Amino acid sequence: MLKTAVALLKSIVSSARLHLYAWLSLISQVLIVVTGGLVRLTASGLGCPTWPKCTAESLTTVPAQGYHGVIEFGNRLLTFALLVIAVLTLISVLRSSSRKHLRLTTPSVILFLGIPAQAVLGGFTVLTHLNPWLVGSHFVLSGVMIACASVLVWRVKQVEPQVVPQAVYALSPALTVFGAITVVVGVLVTGAGPHSGDASSARNGLNLDVWQHYHSYPAYLMLILLLVQVVWLLRAKTQASAPVMRISWIFLGVALAQAVVGVVQARLGVPPLLVGLHMAGAATLCSLITFNYLATRAK
């Protein structure tokens, strides 16, 4: 019985499962942004009004808190799932004896340490009654974690350096920078909007209409640069490898969808459903920006 348990444990943390754990890390990091958006958009941010307990007397939600407590506590529970995935990933990496071991250790450690950091930051967010700057920092840290998980996926897959035209190689840093700026300014816009996570929570004081325009400028520049990249890749098809083309097309599709959702939600007064889609799109963009940089610049 003991031998069976040990064999099962070794199988679970086998380096052969790294591919699975890397993708689970990325998917779960995106998912927690989506569930965090659900918390905010349903005004459930203080469904558990304290931290680390859900109430002063209970670790879990209680009936008196209604569905707000269920939603907020459910989001907290997801953190434990992320932690389990991070631990399994890190142990599997440390047990690996291949040459890629060192290249996998750094993103694995960052993902492992980032989860308790997110939990503590989330705790301060609750204790400060959803301070919009802390809420925004929560999302920015998630973006960093998503990017880190994307690096892990790339390295686990052992993707070889990609063949790209020189112009695309040179364009990649600017595209990455404008993509990152777009996400960060989008966080500020969200902090100025009506969806604070709780009716009693303050906003960041920025003018929503003005900052929506500020958000659009780097977003359109990113989109223009991305279109230039795709056109250049099509013109020099023989100089571009398949992964670069595939990532570019997916990146372009998501960026265009984000632009459409962003414009529509601004015209309709930022309805919750569209805001949620936009947040999910932003999380996906964090991954695609990273993959695009790795595909066009990684050596």
Side-chain angles (χ1 to χ4, degrees):
M1 189 71 175
L2 180 59
K3 288 184 178 180
T4 302
V6 171
L8 178 61
L9 182 60
K10 287 184 177 180
S11 174
I12 290 174
V13 295
S14 167
S15 59
R17 297 184 182 273
L18 271 176
H19 188 276
L20 170 64
Y21 294 151
W23 275 109
L24 285 177
S25 295
L26 177 55
I27 292 169
S28 60
Q29 290 293 342
V30 172
L31 181 60
I32 202 165
V33 171
V34 175
T35 60
L38 179 64
V39 170
R40 176 186 291 188
L41 297 172
T42 57
S44 302
L46 295 177
C48 289
T50 187
W51 186 89
K53 291 184 176 181
C54 193
T55 70
E57 296 81 22
S58 175
L59 183 64
T60 64
T61 184
V62 297
Q65 294 167 284
Y67 73 91
H68 292 303
V70 173
I71 293 173
E72 165 62 8
F73 186 68
N75 188 55
R76 293 187 183 189
L77 283 179
L78 185 58
T79 301
F80 290 100
L82 264 67
L83 183 59
V84 169
I85 293 170
V87 169
L88 292 175
T89 302
L90 182 56
I91 294 174
S92 298
V93 167
L94 294 176
R95 294 187 74 241
S96 172
S97 59
S98 67
R99 288 183 300 172
K100 64 183 179 180
H101 171 88
L102 292 177
R103 300 183 73 243
L104 298 179
T105 301
T106 299
S108 300
V109 169
I110 293 173
L111 286 170
F112 172 70
L113 296 178
I115 292 168
Q118 277 285 59
V120 172
L121 181 56
F124 279 114
T125 301
V126 171
L127 295 175
T128 57
H129 300 284
L130 307 183
N131 179 292
W133 299 103
L134 289 180
V135 173
S137 300
H138 211 29
F139 183 92
V140 171
L141 182 53
S142 285
V144 172
M145 298 281 279
I146 289 169
C148 187
S150 301
V151 171
L152 181 62
V153 168
W154 187 267
R155 291 179 177 178
V156 166
K157 288 175 67 66
Q158 300 188 77
V159 182
E160 297 296 327
Q162 302 298 294
V163 178
V164 296
Q166 182 61 37
V168 173
Y169 179 86
L171 192 69
S172 182
L175 179 54
T176 304
V177 168
F178 282 117
I181 293 173
T182 299
V183 173
V184 172
V185 178
V187 171
L188 296 178
V189 172
T190 303
H195 307 293
S196 63
D198 188 84
S200 63
S201 299
R203 309 310 292 131
N204 61 21
L206 301 177
N207 186 298
L208 178 61
D209 292 332
V210 171
W211 278 85
Q212 281 178 332
H213 288 292
Y214 290 162
H215 176 47
S216 69
Y217 301 149
Y220 287 136
L221 282 171
M222 178 193 73
L223 190 55
I224 289 169
L225 291 175
L226 186 52
L227 282 168
V228 171
Q229 173 176 302
V230 170
V231 170
W232 210 287
L233 288 171
L234 290 173
R235 285 168 57 89
K237 189 176 297 185
T238 57
Q239 298 180 38
S241 50
V244 176
M245 291 296 300
R246 184 164 56 250
I247 290 170
S248 297
W249 280 116
I250 296 173
F251 190 1
L252 179 60
V254 173
L256 286 171
Q258 275 290 85
V260 171
V261 172
V263 170
V264 173
Q265 73 168 7
R267 296 288 186 271
L268 297 180
V270 289
L273 178 59
L274 292 182
V275 173
L277 287 175
H278 209 49
M279 290 181 67
T284 305
L285 277 181
C286 289
S287 179
L288 289 170
I289 290 168
T290 306
F291 278 134
N292 188 74
Y293 183 84
L294 292 169
T296 54
R297 299 284 298 196
K299 296 180 180 180

